[in-house]
Amino acid sequence: MKKTALSCLFMVCAYLSFAQLPITDAHYPDSLLKLSANTKSDSLKARSLFLLSDYWSDKDTLKSKSFLAKGLKYGDKYPYVKALYYYYLGGYYFLTNSSKSETNYLEADRQLSKFNSKEAFLFRSKCWTNYAILEFSIKDNSITSIDIFINKVIPLVKKTGNIQHLAVNYHNIGMIFMDCQQYSKAAEYLRLSISLLEKQPNIYINDLYQNHISLSRNYLYQNNVLLAKKELDKAKTFLIKTTDPVNFMKFYIVEGTYYTTTKAYSKALQALKKGEALAVQSKDYNMERNLSLEMYRLFIKQKAYQKALAVLKRNVEGLVMYKHSSDDLIYYFELSETYSKLGNSKMAYTWLKKYSRLKDSLNAQEVEHKISALEVKFKTAEKEKKIIALNAENEKANLSAKNSKLISWLFGIACLFLLIVAILGWLFYRSSKKLTVQKDLNHQQQIEDFDRRQKIKIVQAMLNAKEEEQGRVARDLHDGLGGTLAGIKINLSHYATKKESNGDPELYQIMDQMEGSINDLRRIAHDMMPEMLLKFGLEESLRDLCASLTSEKLNIDFKYLGAKHVFLPQQQISIYRIIQEAIHNAVKHAAAKNILLQCSQNDNRFYITIEDDGKGFDPSYLTKGMGIQNMKNRVAYLDGEMEILSAENKPGTSINIELNVTT
C-alpha cells in the first residue's frame, strides 16, 4: 500500500510548489485588477491579466479564459509576454486537458528559450515541472517525469540561482524515487534538499517541514524506526510554525505509520483519526483516502480483517483524484489477500484473477533500470563539471610542484626499478610454475566442456526427432485414422436412419463406442502435439492443458506471471513437455486432488513451480524412470536446474525448475 499513498503526497507537494499556486489573500484579485487598470504599460497590464487568469483557473474557467484573452490582446506585440501567454494557457488546461496543457508548455519553453534572463529560466523550469507532473499524475510515466526533472528542470533552476526552487525540485526527485521504491536514492535527494534549505531555516519553514516528513516516511518504508522518529520530531518543530491543514494531515499519516510499525496500535489509530477528522472538515478527499489506507494497514496488523476490508472497498469504489494505474494493481492484490484471510476463497480468487491480468501490463523492473540509468547520467554530468573546475584551479599549482618533485621522482624510480627487477624475476619463476598447472586444468576443463556440449547436442537431436515423430504420428492419427473412424460413424448413422433401426440398441451402442474411440484418438493426438501450442503459444497451451485435466476430482490452479518475452518454439515445446509430464505424474502416481502450477520469467530465465497434495515419494527411486529422465533431458537441453522436494509416507510434492531461454 506504500506507493498509492506516496503518489498522492508527492502530487500535493509538487503541485503546490510550482503549479497554479492558490492565493489566500481575498484582496489579491482586486489588487491585480487595479494594477491592470491603472498602469500605462501594455506589457505590465498583460502580465497582471495573466495572473488573474491563473488565479481563477481552478475556480471559474470562464473568468480565467476571459482574462487570458484580454492579456493576449495587450501583450501580443511583445515576444516575451507572448511566450508567457502560452505558459498561462498551459496552466488553464492543467486540470481539464492534459494534452493541450503539455502542448502549450512546450510552446512556451520554445519561445522563452530565446531569452537569457533569470526570470525566463524560472518560467521555463516551471513549464517543464508542470509537464513532468502531468506525465507522472495523468500518464503514470515515472521514467519520463524523472528524466524531465533531472535533465530539464534542475539545469534551468540552477541558472536562476534560486535555492528554494532547487531544493524543492530535489525533493520532488526524491519523492519519485520513493514512489518507485528506490528508498536509498530517495533519501539521498531529500537530504540534499534539506542541506540547501538549512542555510536559512527561518525562511524556508514549510519546505523544511516537507522534506523532514517525507524523509521520515522514507525511513519507515525501510523499517528504520529510529531514524524515522528522529525526522518526525524535526518535522514537528517546523509543523507548529505553520497553519496549513494539509501539513497537519501529512504529519498524522506519518505518525500513524510510525506507531503502527512500532506496534503502538492505539496511538496509531488515535493519530489517524485526528487526521481523518481534519481531512473531512477540509473536504480534502485525497488526504482522507491516504489516511484510510494507513488505517487499513493498521487493521491488517491487528488482524481485524472485516474492518480492513471495509476500508479497502471504500477506497476502491470511491472517486480518486490523481490516481495511478498501479493503484488498482495494489488494491486487487490486497482485496484478494484480505478475502483469503477471511476464508472467502471465491472472492479471493476473483480479485486475484483481476490482479494477474493487470500485472501483465506493468513492468516495474524496466522502470527501475531506466530510472537508475538516468540518475547515473545526471551524477556523471555533475561529477565531470566538478572535475573540470577542479583541474582548472589546480593546473598552475601542479606545474610548479612537478619541477620540484621531478628529481626526487627520478631517484625514487631508479631505486624502484632495481627492486621491481628483483621482484619480477621471482614472480616470473613462480608464475611459470602456476601457468603449467593452470594449463593442465584448462585442458581438462575444455575436455569436460566438450563432452558436456556433445551430450547436450545428442539429447537435443533426440528430443527434436521425438517431437517430429510425435507430430507426424499425431497428424497421421488425426487426419488418417481419425478421418476413417469419423467416416465409419457417419455411414453407421446413415444406415441406422435408412433402416429405421430404432429398435436395435446394439447398433447405437456401436456408434457410441465409435464416438468414444474418436474422442480418445483426438486426445492422444492432442497430447502428442498440442494444437494450442502451435497456434497461440505456451501460456494458452498450458491453460488448455490444465483445463482439459481439471475435473470434479482434480483442481489445477494455473498462474502465468510476468512472462512477457516470446522465446523459441522448440524451447516452448520442451517446457510444455516438462510440465505435461510433471502433471501427469502427479495425477497418475500421486493421486493428487489439487495441483498448483506457476510459471514466471525474468529476462532469459524461466521459472516453473509445480506443487500437489498427493502421496509423497523418495526422489532417489525415480532416476531410472523414462518420464523423469525425459524431464531431466529437457531441463539439461535448456541449460537449467530441477529440484524435487518430496518424502516417502508424507503428503505433497514440490518441483522447482529454472530454465535458460532465448528471447
Side-chain angles (χ1 to χ4, degrees):
M1 302 302 293
K2 296 176 181 177
K3 185 174 180 178
T4 304
L6 179 59
S7 299
C8 294
L9 286 175
F10 166 79
M11 286 308 304
V12 170
C13 178
Y15 182 74
L16 292 182
S17 298
F18 282 99
Q20 292 74 29
L21 187 64
I23 306 299
T24 57
D25 188 355
H27 301 292
Y28 176 76
D30 294 333
S31 63
L32 289 176
L33 281 172
K34 290 181 181 179
L35 179 61
S36 64
N38 296 330
T39 183
K40 296 181 180 180
S41 169
D42 288 345
S43 174
L44 185 57
K45 191 186 295 289
R47 297 186 65 166
S48 301
L49 292 168
F50 289 161
L51 289 173
L52 279 167
S53 172
D54 188 47
Y55 174 82
W56 290 107
S57 61
D58 59 343
K59 301 176 181 65
D60 188 331
T61 55
L62 292 177
K63 282 188 177 181
S64 178
K65 188 71 171 181
S66 174
F67 285 122
L68 199 59
K70 291 178 182 178
L72 178 61
K73 180 180 178 181
Y74 289 103
D76 189 53
K77 56 186 176 182
Y78 301 102
Y80 184 78
V81 178
K82 181 73 174 293
L84 294 183
Y85 164 77
Y86 288 104
Y87 166 76
Y88 287 105
L89 185 59
Y92 169 78
Y93 287 116
F94 189 89
L95 297 175
T96 57
N97 191 322
S98 60
S99 297
K100 288 187 177 180
S101 182
E102 288 183 347
T103 300
N104 283 288
Y105 284 137
L106 292 176
E107 180 62 20
D109 176 74
R110 187 186 69 82
Q111 295 196 21
L112 286 168
S113 63
K114 302 173 184 177
F115 304 93
N116 294 321
S117 65
K118 289 186 177 181
E119 186 185 51
F121 294 140
L122 178 62
F123 274 101
R124 289 181 65 194
S125 72
K126 290 182 179 182
C127 289
W128 284 111
T129 298
N130 290 344
Y131 190 101
I133 293 169
L134 290 171
E135 286 292 315
F136 182 85
S137 62
I138 305 301
K139 298 183 180 180
D140 196 14
N141 195 337
S142 301
I143 297 175
T144 302
S145 180
I146 198 168
D147 178 51
I148 291 170
F149 272 110
I150 291 176
N151 296 313
K152 295 287 186 182
V153 178
I154 294 297
L156 288 169
V157 174
K158 285 184 176 180
K159 291 181 179 180
T160 68
N162 192 310
I163 294 176
Q164 183 185 18
H165 286 182
L166 183 61
V168 168
N169 280 286
Y170 281 139
H171 173 270
N172 292 338
I173 294 172
M175 295 302 289
I176 301 177
F177 277 128
M178 202 190 307
D179 181 77
C180 298
Q181 300 181 15
Q182 301 295 302
Y183 302 125
S184 59
K185 295 175 184 177
E188 178 181 346
Y189 282 99
L190 291 172
R191 286 193 292 266
L192 181 59
S193 178
I194 291 173
S195 66
L196 292 173
L197 296 169
E198 283 181 336
K199 296 176 181 178
Q200 292 180 293
N202 294 327
I203 297 176
Y204 306 129
I205 294 173
N206 185 67
D207 296 312
L208 281 167
Y209 166 78
Q210 301 291 347
N211 277 280
H212 285 300
I213 201 71
S214 299
L215 191 55
S216 176
R217 191 178 190 88
N218 187 66
Y219 284 134
L220 286 174
Y221 290 163
Q222 301 177 73
N223 292 319
N224 192 334
V225 293
L226 294 178
L227 289 178
K229 184 64 167 64
K230 181 179 178 181
E231 294 298 324
L232 190 64
D233 291 338
K234 289 181 179 179
K236 192 172 184 179
T237 61
F238 292 102
L239 176 66
I240 59 178
K241 300 177 183 179
T242 68
T243 57
D244 190 350
V246 174
N247 290 340
F248 286 86
M249 286 181 263
K250 288 185 185 179
F251 182 85
Y252 289 131
I253 290 176
V254 179
E255 186 180 47
T257 305
Y258 168 76
Y259 284 130
T260 300
T261 305
T262 57
K263 298 182 179 181
Y265 299 133
S266 60
K267 291 184 178 180
L269 184 59
Q270 183 180 2
L272 294 174
K273 287 289 187 183
K274 287 181 182 179
E276 187 179 54
L278 190 57
V280 171
Q281 180 183 351
S282 303
K283 295 183 179 181
D284 192 329
Y285 301 111
N286 281 328
M287 295 304 298
E288 182 180 355
R289 170 174 163 270
N290 290 330
L291 286 154
S292 65
L293 288 176
E294 290 300 327
M295 285 188 189
Y296 164 79
R297 181 170 173 262
L298 169 61
F299 290 141
I300 288 294
K301 287 278 188 179
Q302 293 178 308
K303 298 183 178 181
Y305 300 130
Q306 285 291 354
K307 293 181 179 179
L309 181 63
V311 171
L312 195 59
K313 289 176 68 177
R314 185 176 63 193
N315 279 278
V316 171
E317 297 167 359
L319 296 175
V320 181
M321 189 182 300
Y322 304 125
K323 183 180 180 183
H324 280 218
S325 60
S326 57
D327 289 351
D328 287 338
L329 186 69
I330 298 170
Y331 288 139
Y332 294 168
F333 180 81
E334 295 296 339
L335 277 168
S336 175
E337 289 291 303
T338 306
Y339 273 117
S340 177
K341 290 171 182 177
L342 288 170
N344 191 337
S345 58
K346 181 179 179 181
M347 291 300 297
Y349 179 68
T350 299
W351 287 104
L352 185 61
K353 285 199 299 184
K354 291 183 179 181
Y355 166 81
S356 298
R357 286 195 294 266
L358 185 58
K359 184 176 178 63
D360 291 342
S361 65
L362 301 176
N363 193 340
Q365 278 191 335
E366 183 177 349
V367 172
E368 178 180 343
H369 293 329
K370 290 185 178 180
I371 288 178
S372 298
L374 290 172
E375 187 202 15
V376 169
K377 179 180 178 182
F378 170 68
K379 288 187 175 181
T380 302
E382 290 294 303
K383 288 180 180 178
E384 288 177 353
K385 291 179 181 178
K386 291 181 180 179
I387 290 172
I388 292 172
L390 184 62
N391 288 339
E393 294 176 0
N394 295 334
E395 187 174 357
K396 292 182 179 180
N398 289 338
L399 288 173
S400 60
K402 283 181 181 178
N403 293 330
S404 61
K405 292 180 180 178
L406 182 59
I407 297 176
S408 299
W409 275 108
L410 289 174
F411 179 76
I413 288 172
C415 296
L416 283 174
F417 178 76
L418 296 176
L419 179 62
I420 289 171
V421 169
I423 294 174
L424 287 176
W426 178 75
L427 290 176
F428 178 77
Y429 171 75
R430 195 177 76 168
S431 64
S432 62
K433 292 181 65 178
K434 288 185 177 180
L435 184 61
T436 303
V437 176
Q438 187 63 39
K439 285 182 178 179
D440 293 338
L441 292 175
N442 291 341
H443 181 67
Q444 185 65 30
Q445 184 65 38
Q446 290 174 355
I447 294 173
E448 293 177 357
D449 290 342
F450 178 78
D451 291 341
R452 183 176 63 82
R453 288 195 298 270
Q454 290 298 112
K455 290 179 180 179
I456 291 175
K457 288 181 179 179
I458 294 171
V459 170
Q460 180 180 358
M462 292 174 62
L463 292 176
N464 291 339
K466 181 179 178 182
E467 291 296 337
E468 291 176 1
E469 181 63 18
Q470 284 184 342
R472 185 190 65 78
V473 173
R475 290 190 298 273
D476 290 345
L477 288 174
H478 186 274
D479 299 336
L481 183 56
T484 302
L485 290 176
I488 294 172
K489 179 190 171 187
I490 292 171
N491 291 334
L492 285 174
S493 177
H494 288 317
Y495 178 78
T497 304
K498 182 177 180 182
K499 297 299 183 179
E500 297 180 354
S501 302
N502 296 330
D504 189 353
E506 293 183 358
L507 179 59
Y508 285 97
Q509 184 179 0
I510 292 172
M511 292 173 64
D512 291 339
Q513 291 174 348
M514 185 67 66
E515 177 68 22
S517 298
I518 292 172
N519 292 335
D520 290 341
L521 180 63
R522 289 174 177 169
R523 178 181 55 78
I524 292 170
H526 178 273
D527 288 343
M528 295 183 72
M529 182 53 64
E531 188 175 354
M532 289 290 289
L533 181 60
L534 299 175
K535 289 184 177 180
F536 302 108
L538 180 61
E539 179 180 0
E540 293 302 324
S541 63
L542 290 177
R543 200 176 300 281
D544 181 64
L545 173 65
C546 295
S548 65
L549 295 175
T550 300
S551 63
E552 294 181 356
K553 296 181 179 180
L554 177 64
N555 176 57
I556 301 179
D557 186 6
F558 173 55
K559 298 179 180 178
Y560 199 82
L561 307 175
K564 301 291 289 184
H565 303 293
V566 178
F567 39 93
L568 299 178
Q570 189 60 41
Q571 294 177 342
Q572 295 186 42
I573 292 173
S574 296
I575 292 173
Y576 179 87
R577 293 300 186 198
I578 292 169
I579 295 173
Q580 185 184 43
E581 181 65 31
I583 293 178
H584 283 168
N585 288 341
V587 175
K588 182 178 179 181
H589 301 295
K593 295 181 179 178
N594 293 283
I595 298 176
L596 169 64
L597 169 61
Q598 179 172 304
C599 300
S600 60
Q601 182 181 350
N602 183 7
D603 293 333
N604 292 335
R605 303 301 293 176
F606 192 88
Y607 304 93
I608 304 171
T609 299
I610 306 169
E611 298 180 356
D612 66 71
D613 60 353
K615 296 181 292 184
F617 59 90
D618 187 351
S620 61
Y621 291 146
L622 296 178
T623 55
K624 298 181 180 180
M626 181 63 70
I628 197 68
Q629 190 59 45
N630 283 338
M631 290 176 63
K632 290 183 177 179
N633 288 339
R634 294 182 188 278
V635 171
Y637 162 59
L638 293 175
D639 192 21
E641 298 178 356
M642 181 171 67
E643 177 187 37
I644 301 176
L645 303 176
S646 187
E648 193 172 3
N649 299 325
K650 291 185 178 180
T653 299
S654 178
I655 301 176
N656 299 310
I657 302 173
E658 181 178 346
L659 305 172
N660 184 47
V661 296
T662 304
T663 58

